[in-house]
Amino acid sequence: MAYKNFKLETDADGIALVTWDIPGRSMNVLDETSINEIEDIVKTTTADAAIKGVVITSSKEAFCAGADLSMLEGMSRTYAQLLKEKGEEAANTVLFEQSRRFSQVFRSIETSGKPWAAAINGLALGGGFEITLSCHYRVAAENPKTRLGLPEIKVGLFPGAGGTQRVPRIVPPQDAMQLLLKGEAINLAKAKQLNLIHAIVPAADMIKAAKDWIKGGGKAVAPWDEKGFKLPGGPVFSKMGMQMFPAGNAIYRRETYDNYPAARAIMSCVYEGLQLPIDAALRVESRYFTQILRSNEAAAMIRSLFLSMQELNKGARRPANVPATKIKKLAVIGAGFMGASVGYVSARAGLDVVLVDRDQESADKGKAHAKGVIDGLVAKGRAKQAEADAIMGRITATADYAALAECDLVIEAVFEDRKVKADTFSKAQQYLKPGVIFASNTSTLPITSLAESFQDQGRFIGIHFFSPVEKMMLVEIIMGKHTGDAALAAALDYVRTIGKTPIVVNDSRGFYANRCVGRYIGEGNEMFLEGVPPAMIENCAKMAGMPVGPLSLSDEVALDLGLKVMKATEADLGPNAVNPDQKKLMVEMVEKQGRLGRKNSKGFYDYPEKGKGQKSLWPGLSALQPKQLDPDTLSVEELKQRFLVVQAVEAARTVEDNVITDVREADVGSILGFGFAPFTGGTLSYIDFMGTKKFVELCHSFEKKYGSRFTPPKLLEEMAAKGETFYGRFPPKKPVAQAAE
């Protein structure tokens, strides 16, 4: 029969070549059509006595990007419908049968009686990698960019098509757990070392190598189907097994605080599966996969960290009527740490960059920072010297503003001070070429008021980078009152060029991310002033799912900067705009104790000299607390909830204030920008999955105990009364089906 996604050809030696090539897509994905066709191909080739073996490959640059996650989302919707109509047992049965379909088809490859070889040309991730693991032989084309892996854990899932059973039957359990629990993709050299692939050959020889293996008597039996098969790490109940699993449990608890059901399921799948024959083990995996597919965490993470993030990356918020912006040369005014970092990531993305500062020495210092970053990567083997030289060749450092005349986009990244910024705009404007877009990198100052110093406010926009720029994936694009579509399109095109994820927000003090993260830091300060032990504050925040505690984050941001922002807010909005007790605490830490945070090695923490141990909480903190509470009298659960609720209620206020106009951006922005507990799916998903009614009740209980920062906005009260969700009331544009890339 003719296939839509595959081409099947048999050569004179009786070897079938199955070439994967989904029409109209840049990458192959495992969708409903693909799995149906693979199933038919297995049956056809198995039944045909003339076929001696099968090679599966791809005609695209990559082998397969993974499963179509929108298909899994559809399975969850079907489950919800069946649950409503036919009850839990019927719904569970259907979901179980649907969710094990990939696993059964892949197992049929393994047990077909015909030798199958995977010829891997490029990326093979998730289900795409799992199909290669079910083949009896794996050969990869030489390519330094090729990565193999099982990244499902990053979207709240786990490999459910045999990955949790085949990987620990190929590699020792410690390595298997690293691959499964971290979800990091590995290069071909590492994959070969672990025996996850059998050979690496030049691209031109890949298909021949796969066919030669079959012609040379390639065995159509997986190692675990042979009598006497021994696990690479020995039995579960052995000396090595007993060293591995108890320690693995402890590491799992330390890393996840049991917030990620998929990670727990992986541990269980491997532990239980390795004690069973492969078919029973695959059933165990499918049962756990069905359970995880029904979890709120998987639904939330798939939506925010995969579907929504891809939609935003592909320009969901870009004005459709504006032609693509051609940015070849970028200027960054202000070559300090932030400006130099922006220059570096731009040059790394292939743009020519002009770093402008008040004098040549300052500009050169900015370029030296960029050199330090890339030299560090070269030293670690993550970049080649030729690549480093090319990046540095694209950066020009100067004190001459006339260099702006050649640039297609200008980003101002000077000190966070209105007057300094206004002076910069004044100096720059005379050199700008007609129609160029001008962006201000500011973290708190409203864009509309900054734009008043600029001649054409329609071409003025905010582009807020997060520190460290090299690592942080989010960029907040701020629309001033008069910002035009051309400026928005140019900003989004630029952010896409440098490979980061944009969110678009309307103007407001602190915009979106800093409004929410400010609440998180503020809640840590409130707890400190209440007398909660500092270590408990930090640990409860991490247990809630935040990447670092609020006191540690204050140190990273810099306490003196926090105090400066407080003073600026007070000057602009009056004394009621800041909490006087928190301001008093910051004045004490910064002005009286000289503790500025990590930058001067002392803040809430003491920081040892580089390489001389770990940071530790400053012993003098207790003297600054008005009282000390007994930790045994405090509710850990309540402390955890306070951290998440205070940020989520602020996110709801940003929707009411029209700062956030797309719910996807609130969720994606909260996870990428300030690490809001990823397992929740983000600030608004946290509310939606809890239920607005229950969330509002929790807000009111905290409001009575702790004050008005927990007061829910009218919008949320109204939604709770009507039983609405954010995604129900403000549905984003219908997503296009996409693959796990």
Side-chain angles (χ1 to χ4, degrees):
M1 67 174 273
Y3 298 105
K4 183 185 170 190
N5 292 351
F6 294 89
K7 188 160 75 172
L8 177 60
E9 305 163 289
T10 306
D11 66 14
D13 295 312
I15 297 172
L17 179 64
V18 178
T19 307
W20 203 346
D21 186 10
I22 299 183
R25 297 192 78 143
S26 60
M27 285 204 184
N28 294 319
V29 295
L30 270 165
D31 55 12
E32 197 68 45
T33 304
S34 290
I35 202 68
N36 287 340
E37 292 185 354
I38 291 168
E39 183 177 39
D40 191 83
I41 288 166
V42 176
K43 285 177 182 170
T44 301
T45 54
T46 302
D48 189 342
I51 291 178
K52 308 298 179 207
V54 183
V55 174
I56 184 167
T57 192
S58 160
S59 67
K60 299 187 188 291
E61 279 186 23
F63 181 79
C64 175
D68 179 354
L69 292 189
S70 57
M71 179 183 69
L72 296 182
E73 210 186 22
M75 284 164 57
S76 297
R77 283 196 298 272
T78 304
Y79 171 78
Q81 189 69 23
L82 282 169
L83 190 63
K84 203 172 167 184
E85 293 171 3
K86 297 191 176 179
E88 191 172 6
E89 191 174 332
N92 287 347
T93 302
V94 170
L95 189 63
F96 176 66
E97 291 307 326
Q98 284 181 326
S99 63
R100 70 191 295 234
R101 182 139 163 65
F102 284 7
S103 183
Q104 288 176 310
V105 172
F106 293 175
R107 180 62 174 153
S108 74
I109 290 173
E110 209 164 52
T111 58
S112 66
K114 299 281 173 82
W116 275 64
I120 305 165
N121 57 313
L123 194 80
L125 298 178
F129 185 42
E130 284 177 293
I131 194 172
T132 71
L133 294 174
S134 67
C135 293
H136 307 102
Y137 184 73
R138 295 171 290 282
V139 57
E142 277 177 1
N143 184 344
K145 292 182 179 176
T146 294
R147 294 293 180 271
L148 309 176
L150 300 163
E152 289 89 340
I153 192 73
K154 294 181 178 182
V155 289
L157 291 171
F158 69 88
T164 69
Q165 299 311 313
R166 292 189 179 94
V167 170
R169 282 169 169 78
I170 296 171
V171 304
Q174 290 92 333
D175 293 315
M177 287 303 195
Q178 285 283 321
L179 287 164
L180 294 164
L181 288 170
K182 290 200 167 177
E184 301 296 343
I186 57 173
N187 62 25
L188 290 179
K190 180 73 173 170
K192 174 82 166 56
Q193 180 198 331
L194 292 172
N195 205 33
L196 289 165
I197 54 174
H198 299 100
I200 304 167
V201 299
D205 301 334
M206 180 184 65
I207 301 296
K208 182 180 181 298
K211 287 185 173 185
D212 284 350
W213 173 79
I214 293 170
K215 284 193 271 190
K219 216 173 186 182
V221 183
W224 37 89
D225 284 322
E226 296 205 73
K227 200 175 176 184
F229 169 70
K230 287 186 168 52
L231 293 166
V236 167
F237 290 100
S238 66
K239 189 177 179 184
M240 189 183 278
M242 287 301 98
Q243 285 174 345
M244 157 64 200
F245 285 100
N249 275 330
I251 293 165
Y252 155 76
R253 299 287 299 197
R254 185 190 71 195
E255 297 292 321
T256 71
Y257 294 99
D258 213 17
N259 286 323
Y260 294 86
R264 177 188 271 264
I266 286 171
M267 299 286 292
S268 298
C269 279
V270 174
Y271 177 75
E272 294 173 33
L274 291 185
Q275 299 177 61
L276 298 167
I278 187 72
D279 287 304
L282 290 170
R283 264 198 312 281
V284 165
E285 180 190 72
S286 293
R287 291 191 185 283
Y288 277 109
F289 189 76
T290 307
Q291 180 187 326
I292 295 306
L293 206 51
R294 286 162 35 199
S295 69
N296 285 345
E297 290 84 353
M301 290 177 77
I302 288 171
R303 183 170 70 188
S304 294
L305 291 174
F306 181 74
L307 298 170
S308 294
M309 197 155 89
Q310 285 213 342
E311 287 153 22
L312 297 178
N313 284 341
K314 289 180 178 181
R317 295 299 310 280
R318 192 187 186 283
N321 58 338
V322 181
T325 318
K326 292 184 175 69
I327 301 168
K328 291 180 182 172
K329 196 164 195 176
L330 168 81
V332 182
I333 306 174
F337 177 72
M338 183 62 84
S341 299
V342 171
Y344 164 72
V345 298
S346 302
R348 188 180 65 189
L351 299 177
D352 288 327
V353 176
V354 180
L355 281 180
V356 183
D357 214 311
R358 62 182 178 272
D359 53 52
Q360 191 61 44
E361 187 186 348
S362 302
D364 288 339
K365 202 180 278 185
K367 184 168 179 176
H369 168 76
K371 188 173 188 310
V373 174
I374 191 64
D375 284 352
L377 293 177
V378 171
K380 290 173 187 168
R382 292 184 193 162
K384 293 187 174 161
Q385 190 58 51
E387 189 185 346
D389 294 342
I391 289 170
M392 293 314 297
R394 287 193 284 268
I395 301 175
T396 303
T398 182
D400 186 1
Y401 272 65
L404 302 180
E406 305 164 9
C407 298
D408 308 304
L409 173 68
V410 178
I411 298 175
E412 163 275 305
V414 301
F415 196 61
E416 192 80 343
D417 180 286
R418 283 182 187 282
K419 188 173 183 318
V420 175
K421 287 185 183 289
D423 289 348
T424 303
F425 306 157
S426 175
K427 264 190 205 174
Q429 286 184 89
Q430 60 187 302
Y431 298 108
L432 302 180
K433 66 182 181 184
V436 77
I437 304 303
F438 195 97
S440 176
N441 174 58
T442 174
S443 54
T444 54
L445 298 173
I447 289 297
T448 304
S449 57
L450 288 180
E452 288 169 5
S453 308
F454 198 77
Q455 282 165 1
D456 184 351
Q457 295 187 30
R459 292 188 288 112
F460 192 94
I461 195 164
I463 299 183
H464 173 210
F465 289 89
F466 294 78
S467 185
V469 178
E470 299 89 61
K471 291 181 182 173
M472 296 296 282
M473 290 309 296
L474 188 75
V475 176
E476 203 172 24
I477 294 173
I478 305 105
M479 296 289 286
K481 195 174 177 182
H482 305 292
T483 303
D485 278 358
L488 174 58
L492 287 168
D493 290 347
Y494 163 66
V495 171
R496 189 171 186 177
T497 299
I498 62 172
K500 297 196 180 289
T501 297
I503 62 169
V504 180
V505 303
N506 285 326
D507 203 10
S508 133
R509 180 173 291 274
F511 317 126
Y512 169 67
N514 279 339
R515 275 180 64 167
C516 295
V517 82
R519 291 288 180 184
Y520 174 60
I521 288 173
E523 200 59 25
N525 291 342
E526 290 287 351
M527 289 177 183
F528 180 82
L529 294 168
E530 287 166 21
V532 179
M536 193 172 189
I537 294 170
E538 297 291 85
N539 287 331
C540 285
K542 286 187 277 189
M543 289 167 76
M546 298 301 292
V548 294
L551 307 182
S552 181
L553 184 58
S554 288
D555 278 2
E556 295 295 334
V557 171
L559 302 184
D560 59 330
L561 178 60
L563 180 59
K564 184 175 171 45
V565 169
M566 277 185 183
K567 287 180 175 178
T569 304
E570 199 174 32
D572 282 0
L573 304 177
N576 293 335
V578 299
N579 181 311
D581 293 330
Q582 289 197 34
K583 183 186 171 190
K584 187 179 169 189
L585 173 63
M586 286 301 108
V587 167
E588 176 68 37
M589 291 286 283
V590 173
E591 295 177 0
K592 296 183 182 174
Q593 302 289 340
R595 302 186 74 85
L596 312 183
R598 183 184 272 281
K599 70 183 192 182
N600 79 332
S601 299
K602 50 186 186 177
F604 283 104
Y605 285 79
D606 282 324
Y607 297 86
E609 285 179 47
K610 209 168 185 182
K612 292 193 177 176
Q614 293 183 317
K615 68 181 184 182
S616 56
L617 283 160
W618 176 41
L621 284 177
S622 57
L624 302 186
Q625 289 185 289
K627 58 180 176 181
Q628 277 99 37
L629 298 175
D630 178 356
D632 291 337
T633 65
L634 299 171
S635 162
V636 168
E637 198 54 41
E638 184 171 287
L639 292 173
K640 283 163 58 179
Q641 282 183 325
R642 280 173 64 182
F643 281 124
L644 299 186
V645 170
V646 80
Q647 295 177 81
V649 78
E650 187 64 25
R653 289 186 194 112
T654 66
V655 176
E656 184 175 77
D657 295 346
N658 200 41
V659 172
I660 284 287
T661 58
D662 187 315
V663 289
R664 294 173 295 188
E665 292 177 313
D667 279 343
V668 171
S670 65
I671 296 172
L672 295 189
F674 48 95
F676 187 85
F679 67 89
T680 66
T683 47
L684 299 185
S685 282
Y686 175 67
I687 298 171
D688 275 5
F689 281 103
M690 184 186 293
T692 42
K693 188 170 183 287
K694 188 177 173 187
F695 181 80
V696 164
E697 285 168 1
L698 192 56
C699 283
H700 284 311
S701 72
F702 286 165
E703 182 186 16
K704 280 179 194 163
K705 272 185 171 180
Y706 303 111
S708 62
R709 63 187 181 276
F710 288 104
T711 306
K714 284 180 185 171
L715 170 68
L716 207 45
E717 296 272 18
E718 186 186 304
M719 288 170 63
K722 293 179 181 176
E724 292 178 325
T725 62
F726 279 99
Y727 279 80
R729 179 159 174 160
F730 307 103
K733 286 179 187 173
K734 207 74 179 151
V736 178
Q738 290 160 355
E741 293 180 28

